Amino acid sequence: MSSESIVGYVLGSSVRTDVLLAVVVERRSMAALIDAVEASESAVYNAVGDLERKGLVRSLETDWAATGSGQLVADLIEQQGNLCRLLADDYWRSHDVSALPRRFRLRLTELAGAEVVRASDTDPHAVVREVRDRVDRAGTNVDIVTPIYQAEYEAVMPDSADARLLVDESVALDALERVDSPDEADQWTETTVRVLDADVGIAVTDEEVMLSLPTIDGQWDSRTEVVAADDRAMEWGRDLFEHYWDRATPNDEFVAEYVADPP
């Protein structure tokens, strides 16, 4: 039986699903399962037998526990539930998730508890102010990837050894072209700055992660922001930032290349 069909088999019965998820959390006796699952005693017995025949649960003396296969199926069921929660918001229909590296798209369910902050037509700059204020409140420990220039964000970017800023190549070039000397383009003495061609905006603080994606027609959207604060989302955000940071060019190297061979 394929992984898809076995997940479907478990989900085909709410009792099978509840029994499997219950024993994944902890080993349980049959009596404990009957108490934990909202179903008749016979339905719980039948579900345990079905799951055992599929190799998803096993008997341990007086208790039942998940097998390795059962744990994997339970994980997929959890991911499916999280994906449904994520897709309940229209944001994901209108924004280009392909801008994210594939391995981070596969982990997007880790943002299932995120809030999508939106600006209204009467206050189109509300989200920019919201992000600005959140970054400002975060203090000095901030990691940011910015694919566009926003004066509001620049104003609250801390100058600290605890902060890191990654700017898109186009933003860096615009900054260099606006000044008489390349030294004038570097506004931070302590913050480490790197440069990379990036289509995704992300800010990671000690408390939350904020994500911006382009729309599916390639436009930058400054009127919506995905904000999440639970542990899994924070791990996703930190990993995504490090993915970009590791591939970026240190600002001094980028400036040296610009001076040696200006566009």
Side-chain angles (χ1 to χ4, degrees):
M1 181 178 288
S2 69
S3 61
E4 181 178 0
S5 61
I6 199 166
V7 171
Y9 174 78
V10 174
L11 289 173
S13 162
S14 62
V15 184
R16 285 196 293 264
T17 302
D18 290 346
V19 167
L20 178 60
L21 296 181
V23 298
V24 162
V25 172
E26 62 181 357
R27 292 168 49 173
R28 296 178 191 256
S29 66
M30 185 62 75
L33 278 172
I34 292 170
D35 288 339
V37 176
E38 293 186 6
S40 67
E41 183 175 322
S42 61
V44 174
Y45 271 100
N46 289 337
V48 171
D50 292 341
L51 294 170
E52 184 181 26
R53 283 189 291 274
K54 298 297 184 184
L56 302 179
V57 301
R58 60 193 179 116
S59 175
L60 297 174
E61 298 179 353
T62 61
D63 293 336
W64 290 91
T67 64
S69 297
Q71 178 69 66
L72 292 173
V73 170
D75 288 346
L76 285 173
I77 290 173
E78 180 185 3
Q79 288 178 356
Q80 186 178 64
N82 286 337
L83 180 61
C84 290
R85 290 173 61 198
L86 194 73
L87 296 181
D89 195 291
D90 288 344
Y91 178 89
W92 306 102
R93 302 181 190 178
S94 56
H95 289 76
D96 186 9
V97 296
S98 69
L100 291 166
R102 183 174 184 274
R103 66 187 178 97
F104 289 95
R105 294 200 306 272
L106 293 174
R107 293 176 53 192
L108 263 176
T109 54
E110 294 174 32
L111 300 185
E115 173 192 7
V116 179
V117 180
R118 290 181 169 86
S120 65
D121 291 338
T122 57
D123 190 4
H125 300 293
V127 169
V128 172
R129 293 198 306 273
E130 178 75 16
V131 173
R132 177 201 65 194
D133 292 346
R134 287 173 183 262
V135 170
D136 194 29
R137 290 195 301 268
T140 59
N141 195 5
V142 179
D143 292 330
I144 290 179
V145 175
T146 178
I148 62 169
Y149 174 76
Q150 285 277 14
E152 293 89 343
Y153 301 161
E154 181 182 65
V156 296
M157 184 67 200
D159 191 7
S160 166
D162 295 327
R164 292 181 292 178
L165 174 63
L166 190 156
V167 299
D168 183 75
E169 184 174 330
S170 63
V171 175
L173 289 173
D174 286 345
L176 288 168
E177 291 169 1
R178 289 197 305 266
V179 297
D180 296 327
S181 167
D183 293 337
E184 298 176 20
D186 190 359
Q187 303 179 42
W188 295 277
T189 58
E190 299 293 333
T191 297
T192 305
V193 181
R194 293 187 181 183
V195 180
L196 182 71
D197 185 12
D199 296 326
V200 173
I202 184 168
V204 184
T205 72
D206 286 337
E207 303 294 334
E208 60 191 358
V209 55
M210 292 169 274
L211 172 70
S212 299
L213 295 174
T215 62
I216 53 176
D217 57 2
Q219 301 300 310
W220 187 252
D221 179 13
S222 62
R223 296 180 57 172
T224 56
E225 190 84 10
V226 179
V227 181
D230 60 81
D231 290 344
R232 295 182 66 190
M234 291 298 299
E235 183 177 1
W236 183 90
R238 293 188 186 104
D239 289 348
L240 180 61
F241 179 85
E242 296 298 340
H243 169 87
Y244 290 126
W245 189 253
D246 290 344
R247 289 159 177 76
T249 302
N251 189 57
D252 55 352
E253 293 181 19
F254 182 83
V255 171
E257 291 176 6
Y258 174 87
V259 171
D261 185 20

PDB file of all heavy atoms in Angstrom, residues 6-7 10 17 19-27 51 54-58 65-79:
ATOM      1  N   ILE A   6      -2.280   4.754   2.354  1.00  0.00           N
ATOM      2  CA  ILE A   6      -2.365   4.373   3.761  1.00  0.00           C
ATOM      3  C   ILE A   6      -2.763   5.573   4.621  1.00  0.00           C
ATOM      4  O   ILE A   6      -3.521   5.434   5.596  1.00  0.00           O
ATOM      5  CB  ILE A   6      -1.045   3.743   4.262  1.00  0.00           C
ATOM      6  CG1 ILE A   6      -1.320   2.943   5.555  1.00  0.00           C
ATOM      7  CG2 ILE A   6       0.040   4.777   4.511  1.00  0.00           C
ATOM      8  CD1 ILE A   6      -0.188   2.028   5.944  1.00  0.00           C
ATOM      9  N   VAL A   7      -2.316   6.770   4.249  1.00  0.00           N
ATOM     10  CA  VAL A   7      -2.777   7.966   4.951  1.00  0.00           C
ATOM     11  C   VAL A   7      -4.274   8.143   4.714  1.00  0.00           C
ATOM     12  O   VAL A   7      -5.035   8.438   5.643  1.00  0.00           O
ATOM     13  CB  VAL A   7      -2.002   9.215   4.485  1.00  0.00           C
ATOM     14  CG1 VAL A   7      -2.637  10.482   5.051  1.00  0.00           C
ATOM     15  CG2 VAL A   7      -0.551   9.129   4.913  1.00  0.00           C
ATOM     16  N   VAL A  10      -6.225   5.715   6.891  1.00  0.00           N
ATOM     17  CA  VAL A  10      -6.368   6.153   8.275  1.00  0.00           C
ATOM     18  C   VAL A  10      -7.378   7.296   8.365  1.00  0.00           C
ATOM     19  O   VAL A  10      -8.275   7.293   9.218  1.00  0.00           O
ATOM     20  CB  VAL A  10      -5.003   6.598   8.852  1.00  0.00           C
ATOM     21  CG1 VAL A  10      -5.180   7.194  10.244  1.00  0.00           C
ATOM     22  CG2 VAL A  10      -4.046   5.416   8.906  1.00  0.00           C
ATOM     23  N   THR A  17      -8.094   7.539  12.947  1.00  0.00           N
ATOM     24  CA  THR A  17      -7.241   8.722  13.065  1.00  0.00           C
ATOM     25  C   THR A  17      -6.999   9.088  14.525  1.00  0.00           C
ATOM     26  O   THR A  17      -5.855   9.312  14.944  1.00  0.00           O
ATOM     27  CB  THR A  17      -7.884   9.918  12.339  1.00  0.00           C
ATOM     28  OG1 THR A  17      -8.107   9.578  10.963  1.00  0.00           O
ATOM     29  CG2 THR A  17      -6.995  11.146  12.413  1.00  0.00           C
ATOM     30  N   VAL A  19      -7.301   7.222  17.220  1.00  0.00           N
ATOM     31  CA  VAL A  19      -6.539   6.198  17.931  1.00  0.00           C
ATOM     32  C   VAL A  19      -5.052   6.324  17.606  1.00  0.00           C
ATOM     33  O   VAL A  19      -4.204   6.297  18.506  1.00  0.00           O
ATOM     34  CB  VAL A  19      -7.052   4.784  17.582  1.00  0.00           C
ATOM     35  CG1 VAL A  19      -6.063   3.718  18.062  1.00  0.00           C
ATOM     36  CG2 VAL A  19      -8.422   4.549  18.209  1.00  0.00           C
ATOM     37  N   LEU A  20      -4.724   6.475  16.324  1.00  0.00           N
ATOM     38  CA  LEU A  20      -3.323   6.585  15.946  1.00  0.00           C
ATOM     39  C   LEU A  20      -2.681   7.824  16.577  1.00  0.00           C
ATOM     40  O   LEU A  20      -1.582   7.738  17.144  1.00  0.00           O
ATOM     41  CB  LEU A  20      -3.180   6.650  14.421  1.00  0.00           C
ATOM     42  CG  LEU A  20      -1.741   6.811  13.906  1.00  0.00           C
ATOM     43  CD1 LEU A  20      -0.869   5.648  14.359  1.00  0.00           C
ATOM     44  CD2 LEU A  20      -1.716   6.944  12.387  1.00  0.00           C
ATOM     45  N   LEU A  21      -3.355   8.961  16.495  1.00  0.00           N
ATOM     46  CA  LEU A  21      -2.787  10.179  17.073  1.00  0.00           C
ATOM     47  C   LEU A  21      -2.648  10.069  18.590  1.00  0.00           C
ATOM     48  O   LEU A  21      -1.715  10.610  19.181  1.00  0.00           O
ATOM     49  CB  LEU A  21      -3.654  11.385  16.702  1.00  0.00           C
ATOM     50  CG  LEU A  21      -3.727  11.714  15.205  1.00  0.00           C
ATOM     51  CD1 LEU A  21      -4.603  12.933  14.968  1.00  0.00           C
ATOM     52  CD2 LEU A  21      -2.346  11.918  14.604  1.00  0.00           C
ATOM     53  N   ALA A  22      -3.562   9.333  19.212  1.00  0.00           N
ATOM     54  CA  ALA A  22      -3.494   9.165  20.668  1.00  0.00           C
ATOM     55  C   ALA A  22      -2.276   8.352  21.083  1.00  0.00           C
ATOM     56  O   ALA A  22      -1.581   8.695  22.046  1.00  0.00           O
ATOM     57  CB  ALA A  22      -4.773   8.505  21.176  1.00  0.00           C
ATOM     58  N   VAL A  23      -1.974   7.269  20.370  1.00  0.00           N
ATOM     59  CA  VAL A  23      -0.847   6.433  20.770  1.00  0.00           C
ATOM     60  C   VAL A  23       0.481   7.023  20.313  1.00  0.00           C
ATOM     61  O   VAL A  23       1.540   6.619  20.814  1.00  0.00           O
ATOM     62  CB  VAL A  23      -0.999   4.983  20.253  1.00  0.00           C
ATOM     63  CG1 VAL A  23      -2.230   4.327  20.849  1.00  0.00           C
ATOM     64  CG2 VAL A  23      -1.021   4.924  18.737  1.00  0.00           C
ATOM     65  N   VAL A  24       0.438   7.966  19.368  1.00  0.00           N
ATOM     66  CA  VAL A  24       1.662   8.675  18.997  1.00  0.00           C
ATOM     67  C   VAL A  24       2.092   9.590  20.144  1.00  0.00           C
ATOM     68  O   VAL A  24       3.285   9.732  20.433  1.00  0.00           O
ATOM     69  CB  VAL A  24       1.456   9.476  17.691  1.00  0.00           C
ATOM     70  CG1 VAL A  24       2.530  10.543  17.525  1.00  0.00           C
ATOM     71  CG2 VAL A  24       1.493   8.527  16.494  1.00  0.00           C
ATOM     72  N   VAL A  25       1.127  10.198  20.796  1.00  0.00           N
ATOM     73  CA  VAL A  25       1.437  11.083  21.917  1.00  0.00           C
ATOM     74  C   VAL A  25       2.051  10.304  23.071  1.00  0.00           C
ATOM     75  O   VAL A  25       3.049  10.721  23.664  1.00  0.00           O
ATOM     76  CB  VAL A  25       0.161  11.819  22.380  1.00  0.00           C
ATOM     77  CG1 VAL A  25       0.429  12.596  23.667  1.00  0.00           C
ATOM     78  CG2 VAL A  25      -0.329  12.746  21.274  1.00  0.00           C
ATOM     79  N   GLU A  26       1.466   9.144  23.389  1.00  0.00           N
ATOM     80  CA  GLU A  26       1.986   8.311  24.471  1.00  0.00           C
ATOM     81  C   GLU A  26       1.399   6.913  24.377  1.00  0.00           C
ATOM     82  O   GLU A  26       0.329   6.708  23.795  1.00  0.00           O
ATOM     83  CB  GLU A  26       1.645   8.917  25.836  1.00  0.00           C
ATOM     84  CG  GLU A  26       0.153   9.027  26.112  1.00  0.00           C
ATOM     85  CD  GLU A  26      -0.142   9.649  27.468  1.00  0.00           C
ATOM     86  OE1 GLU A  26       0.823   9.938  28.202  1.00  0.00           O
ATOM     87  OE2 GLU A  26      -1.330   9.821  27.790  1.00  0.00           O
ATOM     88  N   ARG A  27       2.110   5.940  24.938  1.00  0.00           N
ATOM     89  CA  ARG A  27       1.575   4.578  25.014  1.00  0.00           C
ATOM     90  C   ARG A  27       0.298   4.585  25.842  1.00  0.00           C
ATOM     91  O   ARG A  27       0.199   5.280  26.852  1.00  0.00           O
ATOM     92  CB  ARG A  27       2.599   3.648  25.658  1.00  0.00           C
ATOM     93  CG  ARG A  27       3.826   3.408  24.820  1.00  0.00           C
ATOM     94  CD  ARG A  27       4.935   2.723  25.601  1.00  0.00           C
ATOM     95  NE  ARG A  27       4.500   1.552  26.346  1.00  0.00           N
ATOM     96  CZ  ARG A  27       5.324   0.725  26.991  1.00  0.00           C
ATOM     97  NH1 ARG A  27       6.631   0.969  26.986  1.00  0.00           N
ATOM     98  NH2 ARG A  27       4.856  -0.320  27.640  1.00  0.00           N
ATOM     99  N   LEU A  51      -5.443  -0.812  12.541  1.00  0.00           N
ATOM    100  CA  LEU A  51      -4.131  -0.163  12.531  1.00  0.00           C
ATOM    101  C   LEU A  51      -3.009  -1.171  12.760  1.00  0.00           C
ATOM    102  O   LEU A  51      -1.928  -1.053  12.176  1.00  0.00           O
ATOM    103  CB  LEU A  51      -4.079   0.932  13.602  1.00  0.00           C
ATOM    104  CG  LEU A  51      -5.015   2.131  13.376  1.00  0.00           C
ATOM    105  CD1 LEU A  51      -5.046   3.023  14.612  1.00  0.00           C
ATOM    106  CD2 LEU A  51      -4.581   2.940  12.157  1.00  0.00           C
ATOM    107  N   LYS A  54      -2.235  -2.999   9.553  1.00  0.00           N
ATOM    108  CA  LYS A  54      -1.498  -2.157   8.611  1.00  0.00           C
ATOM    109  C   LYS A  54      -0.087  -1.841   9.105  1.00  0.00           C
ATOM    110  O   LYS A  54       0.680  -1.151   8.419  1.00  0.00           O
ATOM    111  CB  LYS A  54      -2.250  -0.837   8.386  1.00  0.00           C
ATOM    112  CG  LYS A  54      -3.632  -1.010   7.763  1.00  0.00           C
ATOM    113  CD  LYS A  54      -3.554  -1.617   6.377  1.00  0.00           C
ATOM    114  CE  LYS A  54      -4.936  -1.689   5.740  1.00  0.00           C
ATOM    115  NZ  LYS A  54      -4.895  -2.371   4.425  1.00  0.00           N
ATOM    116  N   GLY A  55       0.266  -2.324  10.284  1.00  0.00           N
ATOM    117  CA  GLY A  55       1.610  -2.109  10.805  1.00  0.00           C
ATOM    118  C   GLY A  55       1.836  -0.724  11.369  1.00  0.00           C
ATOM    119  O   GLY A  55       2.982  -0.256  11.450  1.00  0.00           O
ATOM    120  N   LEU A  56       0.755  -0.066  11.812  1.00  0.00           N
ATOM    121  CA  LEU A  56       0.878   1.303  12.305  1.00  0.00           C
ATOM    122  C   LEU A  56       0.905   1.376  13.830  1.00  0.00           C
ATOM    123  O   LEU A  56       1.391   2.376  14.389  1.00  0.00           O
ATOM    124  CB  LEU A  56      -0.275   2.158  11.770  1.00  0.00           C
ATOM    125  CG  LEU A  56      -0.384   2.221  10.239  1.00  0.00           C
ATOM    126  CD1 LEU A  56      -1.570   3.062   9.828  1.00  0.00           C
ATOM    127  CD2 LEU A  56       0.898   2.748   9.614  1.00  0.00           C
ATOM    128  N   VAL A  57       0.363   0.357  14.505  1.00  0.00           N
ATOM    129  CA  VAL A  57       0.445   0.300  15.968  1.00  0.00           C
ATOM    130  C   VAL A  57       0.917  -1.096  16.354  1.00  0.00           C
ATOM    131  O   VAL A  57       0.810  -2.053  15.579  1.00  0.00           O
ATOM    132  CB  VAL A  57      -0.906   0.617  16.648  1.00  0.00           C
ATOM    133  CG1 VAL A  57      -1.394   2.001  16.251  1.00  0.00           C
ATOM    134  CG2 VAL A  57      -1.958  -0.439  16.327  1.00  0.00           C
ATOM    135  N   ARG A  58       1.440  -1.197  17.564  1.00  0.00           N
ATOM    136  CA  ARG A  58       1.910  -2.487  18.052  1.00  0.00           C
ATOM    137  C   ARG A  58       1.556  -2.631  19.528  1.00  0.00           C
ATOM    138  O   ARG A  58       1.418  -1.627  20.260  1.00  0.00           O
ATOM    139  CB  ARG A  58       3.422  -2.630  17.864  1.00  0.00           C
ATOM    140  CG  ARG A  58       4.241  -1.577  18.584  1.00  0.00           C
ATOM    141  CD  ARG A  58       5.691  -1.566  18.123  1.00  0.00           C
ATOM    142  NE  ARG A  58       6.463  -0.532  18.791  1.00  0.00           N
ATOM    143  CZ  ARG A  58       7.480  -0.759  19.607  1.00  0.00           C
ATOM    144  NH1 ARG A  58       7.846  -2.009  19.872  1.00  0.00           N
ATOM    145  NH2 ARG A  58       8.143   0.226  20.164  1.00  0.00           N
ATOM    146  N   ALA A  65       1.198   1.184  21.226  1.00  0.00           N
ATOM    147  CA  ALA A  65       2.092   2.273  20.839  1.00  0.00           C
ATOM    148  C   ALA A  65       2.177   2.331  19.321  1.00  0.00           C
ATOM    149  O   ALA A  65       1.868   1.364  18.627  1.00  0.00           O
ATOM    150  CB  ALA A  65       3.483   2.066  21.436  1.00  0.00           C
ATOM    151  N   ALA A  66       2.602   3.466  18.814  1.00  0.00           N
ATOM    152  CA  ALA A  66       2.787   3.611  17.376  1.00  0.00           C
ATOM    153  C   ALA A  66       4.076   2.926  16.939  1.00  0.00           C
ATOM    154  O   ALA A  66       5.074   2.927  17.661  1.00  0.00           O
ATOM    155  CB  ALA A  66       2.836   5.087  16.998  1.00  0.00           C
ATOM    156  N   THR A  67       4.056   2.339  15.761  1.00  0.00           N
ATOM    157  CA  THR A  67       5.284   1.851  15.142  1.00  0.00           C
ATOM    158  C   THR A  67       5.972   3.030  14.464  1.00  0.00           C
ATOM    159  O   THR A  67       5.440   4.148  14.434  1.00  0.00           O
ATOM    160  CB  THR A  67       4.958   0.776  14.099  1.00  0.00           C
ATOM    161  OG1 THR A  67       4.187   1.382  13.044  1.00  0.00           O
ATOM    162  CG2 THR A  67       4.168  -0.373  14.710  1.00  0.00           C
ATOM    163  N   GLY A  68       7.135   2.784  13.881  1.00  0.00           N
ATOM    164  CA  GLY A  68       7.790   3.837  13.111  1.00  0.00           C
ATOM    165  C   GLY A  68       6.919   4.300  11.967  1.00  0.00           C
ATOM    166  O   GLY A  68       6.805   5.505  11.685  1.00  0.00           O
ATOM    167  N   SER A  69       6.267   3.339  11.295  1.00  0.00           N
ATOM    168  CA  SER A  69       5.367   3.696  10.197  1.00  0.00           C
ATOM    169  C   SER A  69       4.196   4.525  10.703  1.00  0.00           C
ATOM    170  O   SER A  69       3.761   5.485  10.055  1.00  0.00           O
ATOM    171  CB  SER A  69       4.835   2.427   9.516  1.00  0.00           C
ATOM    172  OG  SER A  69       5.893   1.693   8.937  1.00  0.00           O
ATOM    173  N   GLY A  70       3.678   4.150  11.862  1.00  0.00           N
ATOM    174  CA  GLY A  70       2.572   4.896  12.437  1.00  0.00           C
ATOM    175  C   GLY A  70       2.950   6.331  12.748  1.00  0.00           C
ATOM    176  O   GLY A  70       2.167   7.257  12.535  1.00  0.00           O
ATOM    177  N   GLN A  71       4.175   6.520  13.262  1.00  0.00           N
ATOM    178  CA  GLN A  71       4.646   7.879  13.546  1.00  0.00           C
ATOM    179  C   GLN A  71       4.725   8.701  12.271  1.00  0.00           C
ATOM    180  O   GLN A  71       4.318   9.871  12.238  1.00  0.00           O
ATOM    181  CB  GLN A  71       6.017   7.820  14.217  1.00  0.00           C
ATOM    182  CG  GLN A  71       6.620   9.189  14.517  1.00  0.00           C
ATOM    183  CD  GLN A  71       5.885   9.935  15.603  1.00  0.00           C
ATOM    184  OE1 GLN A  71       5.880   9.513  16.753  1.00  0.00           O
ATOM    185  NE2 GLN A  71       5.243  11.044  15.243  1.00  0.00           N
ATOM    186  N   LEU A  72       5.246   8.092  11.189  1.00  0.00           N
ATOM    187  CA  LEU A  72       5.357   8.814   9.915  1.00  0.00           C
ATOM    188  C   LEU A  72       3.996   9.193   9.369  1.00  0.00           C
ATOM    189  O   LEU A  72       3.799  10.304   8.866  1.00  0.00           O
ATOM    190  CB  LEU A  72       6.127   7.968   8.902  1.00  0.00           C
ATOM    191  CG  LEU A  72       7.610   7.752   9.194  1.00  0.00           C
ATOM    192  CD1 LEU A  72       8.209   6.764   8.202  1.00  0.00           C
ATOM    193  CD2 LEU A  72       8.365   9.073   9.159  1.00  0.00           C
ATOM    194  N   VAL A  73       3.036   8.262   9.455  1.00  0.00           N
ATOM    195  CA  VAL A  73       1.687   8.561   8.982  1.00  0.00           C
ATOM    196  C   VAL A  73       1.060   9.663   9.824  1.00  0.00           C
ATOM    197  O   VAL A  73       0.416  10.581   9.296  1.00  0.00           O
ATOM    198  CB  VAL A  73       0.821   7.286   9.003  1.00  0.00           C
ATOM    199  CG1 VAL A  73      -0.651   7.628   8.745  1.00  0.00           C
ATOM    200  CG2 VAL A  73       1.308   6.300   7.951  1.00  0.00           C
ATOM    201  N   ALA A  74       1.263   9.617  11.131  1.00  0.00           N
ATOM    202  CA  ALA A  74       0.726  10.660  12.004  1.00  0.00           C
ATOM    203  C   ALA A  74       1.338  12.017  11.671  1.00  0.00           C
ATOM    204  O   ALA A  74       0.650  13.046  11.687  1.00  0.00           O
ATOM    205  CB  ALA A  74       0.990  10.304  13.463  1.00  0.00           C
ATOM    206  N   ASP A  75       2.638  12.031  11.355  1.00  0.00           N
ATOM    207  CA  ASP A  75       3.293  13.284  10.979  1.00  0.00           C
ATOM    208  C   ASP A  75       2.679  13.853   9.706  1.00  0.00           C
ATOM    209  O   ASP A  75       2.456  15.070   9.591  1.00  0.00           O
ATOM    210  CB  ASP A  75       4.791  13.063  10.774  1.00  0.00           C
ATOM    211  CG  ASP A  75       5.540  12.825  12.075  1.00  0.00           C
ATOM    212  OD1 ASP A  75       4.970  13.096  13.151  1.00  0.00           O
ATOM    213  OD2 ASP A  75       6.684  12.346  12.012  1.00  0.00           O
ATOM    214  N   LEU A  76       2.393  12.975   8.730  1.00  0.00           N
ATOM    215  CA  LEU A  76       1.785  13.428   7.480  1.00  0.00           C
ATOM    216  C   LEU A  76       0.375  13.959   7.713  1.00  0.00           C
ATOM    217  O   LEU A  76      -0.039  14.944   7.100  1.00  0.00           O
ATOM    218  CB  LEU A  76       1.761  12.293   6.458  1.00  0.00           C
ATOM    219  CG  LEU A  76       3.097  11.952   5.807  1.00  0.00           C
ATOM    220  CD1 LEU A  76       2.969  10.709   4.944  1.00  0.00           C
ATOM    221  CD2 LEU A  76       3.582  13.122   4.954  1.00  0.00           C
ATOM    222  N   ILE A  77      -0.349  13.318   8.596  1.00  0.00           N
ATOM    223  CA  ILE A  77      -1.697  13.788   8.923  1.00  0.00           C
ATOM    224  C   ILE A  77      -1.623  15.175   9.566  1.00  0.00           C
ATOM    225  O   ILE A  77      -2.427  16.059   9.254  1.00  0.00           O
ATOM    226  CB  ILE A  77      -2.409  12.779   9.847  1.00  0.00           C
ATOM    227  CG1 ILE A  77      -2.740  11.501   9.065  1.00  0.00           C
ATOM    228  CG2 ILE A  77      -3.674  13.377  10.449  1.00  0.00           C
ATOM    229  CD1 ILE A  77      -3.280  10.374   9.918  1.00  0.00           C
ATOM    230  N   GLU A  78      -0.648  15.358  10.459  1.00  0.00           N
ATOM    231  CA  GLU A  78      -0.474  16.676  11.073  1.00  0.00           C
ATOM    232  C   GLU A  78      -0.119  17.725  10.027  1.00  0.00           C
ATOM    233  O   GLU A  78      -0.660  18.837  10.031  1.00  0.00           O
ATOM    234  CB  GLU A  78       0.618  16.622  12.140  1.00  0.00           C
ATOM    235  CG  GLU A  78       0.850  17.963  12.827  1.00  0.00           C
ATOM    236  CD  GLU A  78       2.016  17.954  13.796  1.00  0.00           C
ATOM    237  OE1 GLU A  78       2.685  16.907  13.899  1.00  0.00           O
ATOM    238  OE2 GLU A  78       2.265  18.987  14.429  1.00  0.00           O
ATOM    239  N   GLN A  79       0.776  17.374   9.101  1.00  0.00           N
ATOM    240  CA  GLN A  79       1.161  18.317   8.056  1.00  0.00           C
ATOM    241  C   GLN A  79      -0.031  18.662   7.171  1.00  0.00           C
ATOM    242  O   GLN A  79      -0.197  19.821   6.756  1.00  0.00           O
ATOM    243  CB  GLN A  79       2.289  17.727   7.211  1.00  0.00           C
ATOM    244  CG  GLN A  79       3.626  17.675   7.919  1.00  0.00           C
ATOM    245  CD  GLN A  79       4.708  17.043   7.066  1.00  0.00           C
ATOM    246  OE1 GLN A  79       4.450  16.571   5.958  1.00  0.00           O
ATOM    247  NE2 GLN A  79       5.917  17.032   7.566  1.00  0.00           N
TER     248      GLN A  79
END
